[in-house]
Amino acid sequence: MATAATSTSLKACPDADGLKELASRRTGLSDFGDPGRDTGLKVFSAALRDEVWSGMPDPARAQVVEYAVHLLATRLKLVDDRQRYPQIAQEKIVRPIIVIGPPRSGSTLLHTLLSLDPEAMAPEHWVCLEPSPPPALGPPSPERLDQAERRMMAMFDRIPDIFITHPYMIEEGAGALAECGSDILNMVFSCQQLWCLYRAENFRRYLLEADHSGAVGFHHDFLQHVQWGAAGGHWALKGSDYLLRLEATAAQYPDATLVWTHRDLAQQLGSLANIQAILCRAAGEPLAGDAREEVGRLAIEHQRASFEKGMRARDRLGEDRFLDISYHDVMASPVRTVERIYERSGRHMSDAHRAAIHDWLEQNPQTKHGVHKYSTDEFGLGAEATNRQFRDYVERFGFGYGLHPPLSA
């Protein structure tokens, strides 16, 4: 696969304008759409230059430049498609179900169960990686799917251990369900995954402090792009960083059902810290010892800050916008848990959907691809300290280290 690094020096980190120029050369296009959607790109490229670039080996530099240029090239194509086919902008996104819980809280499993509804639409990796031309113009060619598959796997070349924690990517490849953050909002550089991969602190602060309305507007445009020509249905969506942009999401989708997933923090945070230590290999070499522990601890603190931001937004939006779902309920009574979500969203759960869930669970037992092993001790996690650090969250929802409410499903 040709890379942007072949046309630019790896000595200096390209700035936002330089990356856009490379994307324009690749596509022959120049309209990136609303300039208000460039804020994340400017912050990310500056943070990459100032905090990360000097310590990156050349292969990591080449990979991040290629990734950024591809994201920007995809944006150019989406804007061009929207101008060519004005019908796209007429699509209405009605009553989506959005799973907003944090990473490792059972949100991927729940999203999968929701996506099994024959009436539901859920984005897959291939359409996020290669969305142009619009799917309404015809099914994707084998070449297009293969290109998406190769791009997806190339992204993980430097972090092969990710397949231990996300084994479905091996089996389903580019047909796996996509996330709103890491697979859609990455195109406007407003997703948590970019911080997880490259650990730029200024970018993390941007995620926690910025108004992400422009990015969420892009998300809406993307759903319109994919929905155009589809046979009805509702969106089933999921993103592990929605807590960073709850108010913008609620404003963009005022009729959405917002599903906040929760899990015993001993399980959720231990898994999260381990995955963070895996992901940051994208910027350099594998971590061990104190460096690995430090990365895990920062991931846990970032989760606390995300919870705080999400809870403040929830206070302003009102409790009636949210439905809390326990990971432990999903595991104990998956069909009844989905029924609760449908009841809240004013929908009827069909027999076909129930049957699809039963079939999927039978074919995909929890240990199908082995067990994700991690040690909470490795990251200094203990019940007393963790519950103190997450006190506001524990008191509000009843989930803590070694704590979760009784099963309700």
Side-chain angles (χ1 to χ4, degrees), residues 257-298:
T257 300
L258 303 176
V259 181
W260 190 329
T261 47
H262 306 269
R263 187 179 184 182
D264 181 323
L265 291 182
Q267 300 168 9
Q268 191 241 322
L269 296 178
S271 180
L272 171 68
N274 184 58
I275 288 176
Q276 176 62 70
I278 291 172
L279 287 174
C280 64
R281 182 176 177 180
E285 300 305 320
L287 297 178
D290 292 344
R292 178 179 167 85
E293 181 178 340
E294 179 184 353
V295 166
R297 285 179 177 273
L298 182 56

Short mmCIF file of all heavy atoms in Angstrom, two decimals, residues 257-298:
data_model
loop_
_atom_site.label_atom_id
_atom_site.label_comp_id
_atom_site.label_asym_id
_atom_site.label_seq_id
_atom_site.Cartn_x
_atom_site.Cartn_y
_atom_site.Cartn_z
N THR A 257 -32.06 7.37 22.48
CA THR A 257 -31.99 6.66 23.76
C THR A 257 -30.51 6.48 24.10
O THR A 257 -29.77 5.84 23.36
CB THR A 257 -32.68 5.29 23.66
OG1 THR A 257 -34.05 5.45 23.31
CG2 THR A 257 -32.58 4.54 24.98
N LEU A 258 -30.08 7.10 25.19
CA LEU A 258 -28.67 7.08 25.59
C LEU A 258 -28.47 6.02 26.66
O LEU A 258 -28.99 6.14 27.78
CB LEU A 258 -28.25 8.46 26.10
CG LEU A 258 -28.47 9.62 25.11
CD1 LEU A 258 -28.11 10.96 25.77
CD2 LEU A 258 -27.65 9.42 23.84
N VAL A 259 -27.73 4.98 26.34
CA VAL A 259 -27.57 3.81 27.21
C VAL A 259 -26.17 3.83 27.82
O VAL A 259 -25.17 3.63 27.12
CB VAL A 259 -27.80 2.50 26.42
CG1 VAL A 259 -27.66 1.29 27.34
CG2 VAL A 259 -29.16 2.51 25.73
N TRP A 260 -26.12 4.05 29.14
CA TRP A 260 -24.83 4.13 29.85
C TRP A 260 -24.57 2.77 30.50
O TRP A 260 -25.25 2.38 31.44
CB TRP A 260 -24.90 5.24 30.91
CG TRP A 260 -23.59 5.60 31.56
CD1 TRP A 260 -22.53 4.78 31.80
CD2 TRP A 260 -23.23 6.89 32.07
NE1 TRP A 260 -21.53 5.47 32.43
CE2 TRP A 260 -21.92 6.78 32.61
CE3 TRP A 260 -23.88 8.12 32.16
CZ2 TRP A 260 -21.26 7.83 33.21
CZ3 TRP A 260 -23.21 9.19 32.76
CH2 TRP A 260 -21.92 9.05 33.27
N THR A 261 -23.57 2.06 30.01
CA THR A 261 -23.22 0.76 30.55
C THR A 261 -22.24 0.92 31.72
O THR A 261 -21.38 1.80 31.71
CB THR A 261 -22.59 -0.14 29.48
OG1 THR A 261 -21.60 0.60 28.77
CG2 THR A 261 -23.65 -0.63 28.51
N HIS A 262 -22.38 0.05 32.73
CA HIS A 262 -21.55 0.09 33.94
C HIS A 262 -21.05 -1.32 34.26
O HIS A 262 -21.70 -2.32 33.93
CB HIS A 262 -22.35 0.59 35.14
CG HIS A 262 -23.03 1.91 34.92
ND1 HIS A 262 -22.43 3.11 35.22
CD2 HIS A 262 -24.27 2.21 34.44
CE1 HIS A 262 -23.26 4.11 34.94
NE2 HIS A 262 -24.38 3.59 34.47
N ARG A 263 -19.92 -1.37 34.96
CA ARG A 263 -19.33 -2.66 35.33
C ARG A 263 -18.54 -2.49 36.62
O ARG A 263 -18.04 -1.39 36.91
CB ARG A 263 -18.41 -3.16 34.20
CG ARG A 263 -17.87 -4.56 34.38
CD ARG A 263 -16.99 -4.93 33.18
NE ARG A 263 -16.52 -6.30 33.24
CZ ARG A 263 -15.71 -6.86 32.34
NH1 ARG A 263 -15.28 -6.14 31.31
NH2 ARG A 263 -15.32 -8.12 32.48
N ASP A 264 -18.42 -3.57 37.38
CA ASP A 264 -17.53 -3.60 38.54
C ASP A 264 -16.19 -2.99 38.14
O ASP A 264 -15.55 -3.44 37.18
CB ASP A 264 -17.37 -5.06 38.99
CG ASP A 264 -16.49 -5.23 40.20
OD1 ASP A 264 -15.49 -4.49 40.35
OD2 ASP A 264 -16.79 -6.12 41.02
N LEU A 265 -15.73 -1.95 38.84
CA LEU A 265 -14.53 -1.24 38.44
C LEU A 265 -13.27 -2.09 38.51
O LEU A 265 -12.29 -1.81 37.82
CB LEU A 265 -14.36 0.02 39.28
CG LEU A 265 -15.38 1.14 39.05
CD1 LEU A 265 -15.05 2.34 39.94
CD2 LEU A 265 -15.44 1.55 37.59
N ALA A 266 -13.26 -3.10 39.34
CA ALA A 266 -12.08 -3.98 39.39
C ALA A 266 -11.88 -4.64 38.03
O ALA A 266 -10.74 -4.79 37.56
CB ALA A 266 -12.27 -5.04 40.48
N GLN A 267 -12.98 -5.03 37.39
CA GLN A 267 -12.90 -5.66 36.07
C GLN A 267 -12.69 -4.63 34.98
O GLN A 267 -11.83 -4.79 34.11
CB GLN A 267 -14.18 -6.46 35.82
CG GLN A 267 -14.43 -7.56 36.83
CD GLN A 267 -15.84 -8.15 36.71
OE1 GLN A 267 -16.57 -7.86 35.78
NE2 GLN A 267 -16.21 -8.96 37.68
N GLN A 268 -13.47 -3.57 35.02
CA GLN A 268 -13.43 -2.58 33.94
C GLN A 268 -12.09 -1.85 33.89
O GLN A 268 -11.45 -1.75 32.84
CB GLN A 268 -14.57 -1.57 34.10
CG GLN A 268 -14.74 -0.68 32.86
CD GLN A 268 -14.55 0.78 33.15
OE1 GLN A 268 -14.94 1.30 34.18
NE2 GLN A 268 -13.93 1.48 32.21
N LEU A 269 -11.62 -1.35 35.04
CA LEU A 269 -10.40 -0.56 35.05
C LEU A 269 -9.15 -1.41 34.84
O LEU A 269 -8.19 -0.98 34.19
CB LEU A 269 -10.29 0.22 36.36
CG LEU A 269 -11.38 1.27 36.61
CD1 LEU A 269 -11.17 1.91 37.97
CD2 LEU A 269 -11.38 2.32 35.51
N GLY A 270 -9.14 -2.62 35.38
CA GLY A 270 -8.00 -3.49 35.16
C GLY A 270 -7.82 -3.82 33.69
O GLY A 270 -6.71 -3.78 33.14
N SER A 271 -8.93 -4.15 33.03
CA SER A 271 -8.89 -4.44 31.59
C SER A 271 -8.50 -3.19 30.80
O SER A 271 -7.69 -3.26 29.87
CB SER A 271 -10.25 -4.95 31.15
OG SER A 271 -10.26 -5.24 29.77
N LEU A 272 -9.07 -2.05 31.18
CA LEU A 272 -8.78 -0.79 30.49
C LEU A 272 -7.29 -0.45 30.57
O LEU A 272 -6.67 -0.09 29.56
CB LEU A 272 -9.60 0.33 31.12
CG LEU A 272 -9.28 1.76 30.69
CD1 LEU A 272 -9.67 1.97 29.24
CD2 LEU A 272 -10.00 2.76 31.58
N ALA A 273 -6.70 -0.54 31.76
CA ALA A 273 -5.29 -0.19 31.93
C ALA A 273 -4.40 -1.10 31.10
O ALA A 273 -3.42 -0.65 30.49
CB ALA A 273 -4.92 -0.28 33.41
N ASN A 274 -4.73 -2.38 31.05
CA ASN A 274 -3.94 -3.32 30.28
C ASN A 274 -4.00 -3.00 28.79
O ASN A 274 -2.98 -3.02 28.09
CB ASN A 274 -4.43 -4.75 30.54
CG ASN A 274 -3.59 -5.78 29.82
OD1 ASN A 274 -2.38 -5.86 30.03
ND2 ASN A 274 -4.22 -6.57 28.97
N ILE A 275 -5.19 -2.67 28.29
CA ILE A 275 -5.34 -2.35 26.88
C ILE A 275 -4.60 -1.06 26.53
O ILE A 275 -3.98 -0.95 25.47
CB ILE A 275 -6.83 -2.27 26.50
CG1 ILE A 275 -7.44 -3.67 26.49
CG2 ILE A 275 -7.03 -1.60 25.15
CD1 ILE A 275 -8.90 -3.70 26.22
N GLN A 276 -4.66 -0.08 27.42
CA GLN A 276 -3.93 1.17 27.17
C GLN A 276 -2.44 0.90 27.02
O GLN A 276 -1.78 1.48 26.15
CB GLN A 276 -4.18 2.16 28.30
CG GLN A 276 -3.39 3.45 28.17
CD GLN A 276 -3.75 4.23 26.93
OE1 GLN A 276 -4.82 4.79 26.83
NE2 GLN A 276 -2.84 4.26 25.96
N ALA A 277 -1.91 0.03 27.85
CA ALA A 277 -0.48 -0.29 27.77
C ALA A 277 -0.15 -1.01 26.46
O ALA A 277 0.98 -0.91 25.96
CB ALA A 277 -0.08 -1.16 28.96
N ILE A 278 -1.14 -1.71 25.89
CA ILE A 278 -0.94 -2.35 24.59
C ILE A 278 -1.00 -1.32 23.47
O ILE A 278 -0.15 -1.28 22.58
CB ILE A 278 -2.02 -3.44 24.37
CG1 ILE A 278 -1.80 -4.62 25.33
CG2 ILE A 278 -1.99 -3.93 22.92
CD1 ILE A 278 -2.92 -5.64 25.32
N LEU A 279 -1.99 -0.44 23.50
CA LEU A 279 -2.23 0.49 22.40
C LEU A 279 -1.08 1.47 22.20
O LEU A 279 -0.75 1.82 21.06
CB LEU A 279 -3.53 1.27 22.65
CG LEU A 279 -4.84 0.50 22.46
CD1 LEU A 279 -6.01 1.37 22.88
CD2 LEU A 279 -5.00 0.04 21.02
N CYS A 280 -0.47 1.90 23.28
CA CYS A 280 0.54 2.95 23.13
C CYS A 280 1.81 2.44 22.46
O CYS A 280 2.70 3.23 22.15
CB CYS A 280 0.84 3.61 24.47
SG CYS A 280 1.57 2.51 25.66
N ARG A 281 1.88 1.16 22.18
CA ARG A 281 3.01 0.64 21.41
C ARG A 281 3.02 1.24 20.00
O ARG A 281 4.06 1.23 19.33
CB ARG A 281 2.92 -0.88 21.33
CG ARG A 281 4.09 -1.52 20.58
CD ARG A 281 4.03 -3.03 20.60
NE ARG A 281 5.10 -3.62 19.82
CZ ARG A 281 5.30 -4.91 19.66
NH1 ARG A 281 4.48 -5.77 20.24
NH2 ARG A 281 6.30 -5.36 18.93
N ALA A 282 1.88 1.79 19.56
CA ALA A 282 1.82 2.39 18.23
C ALA A 282 2.84 3.49 18.05
O ALA A 282 3.34 3.74 16.95
CB ALA A 282 0.42 2.93 17.96
N ALA A 283 3.18 4.18 19.14
CA ALA A 283 4.10 5.32 19.06
C ALA A 283 5.55 4.94 19.32
O ALA A 283 6.44 5.78 19.18
CB ALA A 283 3.68 6.39 20.06
N GLY A 284 5.81 3.70 19.70
CA GLY A 284 7.18 3.33 20.02
C GLY A 284 7.32 1.85 20.28
O GLY A 284 6.69 1.03 19.64
N GLU A 285 8.10 1.50 21.27
CA GLU A 285 8.38 0.11 21.59
C GLU A 285 7.47 -0.37 22.72
O GLU A 285 6.86 0.44 23.43
CB GLU A 285 9.84 -0.05 22.01
CG GLU A 285 10.82 0.37 20.93
CD GLU A 285 10.60 -0.35 19.61
OE1 GLU A 285 10.31 -1.57 19.64
OE2 GLU A 285 10.68 0.30 18.56
N PRO A 286 7.35 -1.70 22.90
CA PRO A 286 6.51 -2.21 24.00
C PRO A 286 6.96 -1.67 25.35
O PRO A 286 8.15 -1.44 25.57
CB PRO A 286 6.73 -3.74 23.90
CG PRO A 286 7.18 -3.99 22.51
CD PRO A 286 7.96 -2.77 22.10
N LEU A 287 6.01 -1.47 26.23
CA LEU A 287 6.30 -0.94 27.56
C LEU A 287 6.42 -2.07 28.57
O LEU A 287 5.79 -3.12 28.44
CB LEU A 287 5.20 0.01 28.00
CG LEU A 287 5.00 1.27 27.16
CD1 LEU A 287 3.84 2.08 27.71
CD2 LEU A 287 6.26 2.11 27.13
N ALA A 288 7.19 -1.83 29.59
CA ALA A 288 7.33 -2.81 30.67
C ALA A 288 7.61 -2.07 31.96
O ALA A 288 7.98 -0.89 31.97
CB ALA A 288 8.45 -3.80 30.36
N GLY A 289 7.40 -2.76 33.07
CA GLY A 289 7.77 -2.23 34.37
C GLY A 289 7.06 -0.95 34.74
O GLY A 289 5.86 -0.79 34.54
N ASP A 290 7.84 0.02 35.25
CA ASP A 290 7.27 1.27 35.73
C ASP A 290 6.57 2.05 34.62
O ASP A 290 5.54 2.70 34.87
CB ASP A 290 8.37 2.14 36.34
CG ASP A 290 8.92 1.56 37.63
OD1 ASP A 290 8.26 0.66 38.20
OD2 ASP A 290 10.00 1.99 38.07
N ALA A 291 7.10 2.02 33.39
CA ALA A 291 6.50 2.78 32.29
C ALA A 291 5.11 2.22 31.97
O ALA A 291 4.16 2.98 31.74
CB ALA A 291 7.39 2.71 31.05
N ARG A 292 4.99 0.91 32.00
CA ARG A 292 3.69 0.28 31.74
C ARG A 292 2.69 0.64 32.85
O ARG A 292 1.53 0.96 32.58
CB ARG A 292 3.88 -1.23 31.64
CG ARG A 292 2.59 -2.02 31.42
CD ARG A 292 2.92 -3.51 31.32
NE ARG A 292 1.72 -4.31 31.42
CZ ARG A 292 0.91 -4.60 30.42
NH1 ARG A 292 1.19 -4.13 29.22
NH2 ARG A 292 -0.16 -5.33 30.59
N GLU A 293 3.15 0.60 34.08
CA GLU A 293 2.27 0.94 35.20
C GLU A 293 1.82 2.40 35.12
O GLU A 293 0.66 2.72 35.37
CB GLU A 293 2.98 0.69 36.52
CG GLU A 293 2.12 1.00 37.75
CD GLU A 293 2.83 0.70 39.05
OE1 GLU A 293 3.80 -0.08 39.03
OE2 GLU A 293 2.42 1.26 40.08
N GLU A 294 2.73 3.28 34.75
CA GLU A 294 2.40 4.71 34.65
C GLU A 294 1.33 4.94 33.60
O GLU A 294 0.39 5.72 33.79
CB GLU A 294 3.65 5.51 34.32
CG GLU A 294 3.39 7.01 34.18
CD GLU A 294 4.63 7.77 33.76
OE1 GLU A 294 5.72 7.16 33.71
OE2 GLU A 294 4.50 8.97 33.48
N VAL A 295 1.46 4.28 32.45
CA VAL A 295 0.47 4.43 31.38
C VAL A 295 -0.89 3.92 31.84
O VAL A 295 -1.93 4.55 31.59
CB VAL A 295 0.94 3.67 30.12
CG1 VAL A 295 -0.21 3.50 29.13
CG2 VAL A 295 2.09 4.42 29.46
N GLY A 296 -0.90 2.79 32.53
CA GLY A 296 -2.16 2.25 33.03
C GLY A 296 -2.81 3.17 34.05
O GLY A 296 -4.04 3.38 34.03
N ARG A 297 -2.01 3.75 34.92
CA ARG A 297 -2.56 4.66 35.93
C ARG A 297 -3.16 5.91 35.30
O ARG A 297 -4.21 6.40 35.73
CB ARG A 297 -1.46 5.06 36.92
CG ARG A 297 -1.08 3.98 37.92
CD ARG A 297 0.03 4.48 38.83
NE ARG A 297 0.38 3.51 39.85
CZ ARG A 297 -0.22 3.42 41.03
NH1 ARG A 297 -1.21 4.24 41.32
NH2 ARG A 297 0.16 2.52 41.92
N LEU A 298 -2.51 6.42 34.25
CA LEU A 298 -3.06 7.60 33.57
C LEU A 298 -4.36 7.25 32.87
O LEU A 298 -5.29 8.06 32.85
CB LEU A 298 -2.04 8.15 32.58
CG LEU A 298 -2.47 9.41 31.82
CD1 LEU A 298 -2.86 10.53 32.78
CD2 LEU A 298 -1.37 9.88 30.87
#
